[in-house]
Amino acid sequence: MEKVYDVIIVGAGPAGLSAALYAGRAKLSTLVLEGTKVGGQIAITSEVDNYPGSMEDATGPSLTARMVDQAKRFGAEMVSDSVVGTDFKDKVKIVKGEKADYKGRSVIIATGANPRQIGCPGEKELTGKGVSYCATCDADFFEGLEIFVVGGGDTAVEEAIFLAKFARKVTIVHRRDELRAAKYLQEKVFEHPKIEIMWNSVIVDIKGDGLVESAVFHNRETGETTEIKADEDDGTFGIFVLVGYEPVTEVFKGCIDTDESGYIIADSRMRTNVEGVFAAGDVRVKTLRQVVTATADGAIAAVEAEKYLGE
Ligand code: NAP
């Protein structure tokens, strides 16, 4: 007979893995569907220094690896499959994957969010060829080269500081005249000898034949447009696009309520509009998207799923 899990967790970032730990410890049969990348956003984060108790040299991947081990130790099963659809009509809910369908008495959606793109010509074509969305993954390739970081939030500023360890020079390209990032991060970049800021600017075109060779910058205040070409000796430079995230909720559209930006609406007990379906972490409407709030959401969702199953 096909297995019906007590809880199916969709997503293996901090929220999903924390839910798996709590569900496993509560002796619920637990399946985690991990999609394409385990760890969610922290898997591509270079330093995690604001998660209480994390070690000084903690990285996203190392924290993720420990969370996975811990969840498995308490019995959570992990399957790599991308969710393509759902059927939440009945008590037993169906999560449809690319490889198989999975049945559960409750579901926790912890699919997080994906990096947003700038949307300019050349961005897509040159992704992986100079354009990157992940400093941890790609910093190595730009050792000694120039790097442009697009964005003005915590991610852009934090990763600009990280990238400056590799690059000859880092320029933060921000569309306004004020950074959104936390003040302590701003102070770090303002006094960093290798980091400059290009204010009121956006990239409108990225050019190159197989590798990024130049980019066109538009100053929104002066209206001026400038093309910056790679240094002749370098031949290329890096463009790290770190302009926020978009929730991964496409497959739940139509059955789970979201806000206008696509984030899932859940109450403080992580309950969505569908009984037995919970949402946790960056995927839900909330004011602070951090590892610490994601793990807290995951714990609450698992405890609420346990209560729901007991009713
Ligand atoms: P964010 O806070 O949404 O900031 C996105 C930045 O990109 C903003 O500066 C925004 O400009 C800019 N932007 C957005 N769309 C753009 C576009 N199309 N072209 C050019 N620029 C664009 O995103 P985030 O920095 O990735 O952070 C996401 C969440 O994670 C936040 O809640 C953040 O606090 C949290 N986070 C925390 C830490 C930490 O505490 N250490 C680290 C990383 C992330 P505007 O400012 O003009 O809107």
Side-chain angles (χ1 to χ4, degrees):
M1 209 179 68
E2 207 180 344
K3 182 162 182 176
V4 179
Y5 290 91
D6 289 326
V7 52
I8 296 178
I9 298 163
V10 188
L17 293 171
S18 156
L21 168 65
Y22 274 72
R25 289 195 76 215
K27 304 274 181 224
L28 302 178
S29 59
T30 304
L31 172 70
V32 182
L33 292 173
E34 61 187 37
T36 47
K37 60 174 194 287
V38 179
Q41 288 311 317
I42 56 158
I44 57 167
T45 304
S46 47
E47 283 168 21
V48 184
D49 58 6
N50 58 354
Y51 186 61
S54 63
M55 271 142 357
E56 220 173 299
D57 56 351
T59 62
S62 68
L63 187 59
T64 301
R66 287 202 298 278
M67 286 185 185
V68 169
D69 286 348
Q70 206 177 359
K72 282 185 177 167
R73 212 173 338 123
F74 287 100
E77 262 177 64
M78 296 199 51
V79 167
S80 177
D81 199 355
S82 293
V83 173
V84 291
T86 56
D87 184 349
F88 292 160
K89 279 192 311 291
D90 300 320
K91 283 258 175 220
V92 172
K93 292 158 191 3
I94 300 168
V95 178
K96 300 172 185 175
E98 268 173 8
K99 298 178 191 162
D101 288 355
Y102 308 90
K103 290 183 177 175
R105 291 182 192 88
S106 67
V107 173
I108 297 174
I109 301 170
T111 42
N114 273 337
R116 186 180 291 137
Q117 303 182 346
I118 325 175
C120 72
E123 180 184 16
K124 213 170 172 185
E125 295 77 2
L126 291 163
T127 293
K129 296 165 185 160
V131 176
S132 169
Y133 302 87
C134 172
T136 326
C137 320
D138 298 333
D140 265 4
F141 300 127
F142 300 95
E143 184 83 53
L145 298 180
E146 233 189 288
I147 287 177
F148 293 88
V149 171
V150 184
D154 286 335
T155 306
V157 171
E158 208 167 60
E159 300 301 23
I161 296 165
F162 171 71
L163 288 164
K165 292 180 190 168
F166 301 80
R168 184 171 72 232
K169 177 184 163 197
V170 174
T171 305
I172 295 176
V173 183
H174 184 38
R175 63 183 178 183
R176 288 189 296 131
D177 60 359
E178 193 187 9
L179 295 172
R180 179 183 291 278
K183 287 280 177 280
Y184 82 96
L185 287 172
Q186 296 196 24
E187 280 166 18
K188 277 193 187 179
V189 288
F190 291 151
E191 64 194 30
H192 200 296
K194 278 166 113 184
I195 303 178
E196 274 180 18
I197 304 183
M198 194 190 278
W199 298 106
N200 301 307
S201 299
V202 288
I203 293 184
V204 291
D205 200 357
I206 304 173
K207 301 178 189 173
D209 184 14
L211 267 187
V212 169
E213 287 161 9
S214 75
V216 181
F217 297 77
H218 173 73
N219 186 308
R220 300 169 82 206
E221 208 176 49
T222 62
E224 211 177 309
T225 294
T226 319
E227 181 167 359
I228 296 182
K229 293 190 174 147
D231 184 281
E232 236 173 68
D233 288 339
D234 296 343
T236 188
F237 54 73
I239 298 177
F240 284 77
V241 179
L242 304 168
V243 296
Y245 299 94
E246 277 164 1
V248 183
T249 48
E250 198 57 37
V251 293
F252 307 108
K253 261 193 188 144
C255 70
I256 300 291
D257 288 349
T258 64
D259 71 0
E260 66 284 355
S261 306
Y263 288 96
I264 292 178
I265 298 166
D267 65 10
S268 60
R269 293 166 63 184
M270 309 301 138
R271 296 177 301 186
T272 68
N273 59 306
V274 177
E275 234 185 54
V277 179
F278 304 83
D282 286 6
V283 76
R284 77 178 186 97
V285 177
K286 64 197 301 191
T287 53
L288 185 63
R289 292 193 171 86
Q290 300 275 290
V291 181
V292 72
T293 59
T295 52
D297 279 8
I300 296 168
V303 169
E304 290 298 329
E306 186 191 2
K307 279 187 204 157
Y308 163 79
L309 293 166
E311 273 163 15

